[in-house]
Amino acid sequence: MSTKNTSKLNVPAAKDAMEQFKQEAANEVGVPLKDGDNGNLTSREAGSIGGQMVKNVTTVRLAKQAVFERANRNAEGHRVTVKYIAGVVW
């Protein structure tokens, strides 16, 4: 099992873009988000923001995909379906 913390941004310059993305998601679900500390949010409100962010990213990723069939490299005479999904990296 990996112990890598995936909540850290790999590109520090992406922090502003992620903050804007979070603000847009909060506006979409009607949660009042302010700059700085948002410790006053309920778990439900914070979760709805995160859920909306995931929904938006998933929609973008699923919109850019290619599906095709090819010969299976391990079993002669069999075919496998391959799906390539292109995502957006901030």
Side-chain angles (χ1 to χ4, degrees):
M1 178 159 40
S2 175
T3 58
K4 182 179 178 185
N5 183 354
T6 59
S7 66
K8 290 184 181 179
L9 294 175
N10 292 329
V11 182
K15 183 174 178 148
D16 291 336
M18 285 302 293
E19 287 298 321
Q20 181 181 353
F21 183 45
K22 187 189 321 179
Q23 187 67 43
E24 290 171 4
N27 289 339
E28 288 177 18
V29 294
V31 174
L33 195 63
K34 60 184 181 196
D35 289 337
D37 182 34
N38 285 289
N40 61 326
L41 294 180
T42 64
S43 295
R44 176 178 226 129
E45 290 172 327
S48 65
I49 294 170
Q52 188 67 24
M53 291 173 75
V54 169
K55 181 179 174 184
N56 289 346
V57 169
T58 303
T59 302
V60 170
R61 285 190 180 153
L62 292 179
K64 307 288 184 191
Q65 60 179 300
V67 179
F68 65 94
E69 279 195 7
R70 66 162 172 78
N72 187 333
R73 296 180 186 128
N74 298 321
E76 191 172 326
H78 292 272
R79 300 190 62 76
V80 292
T81 301
V82 179
K83 183 186 296 185
Y84 288 99
I85 302 173
V88 177
V89 178
W90 284 277

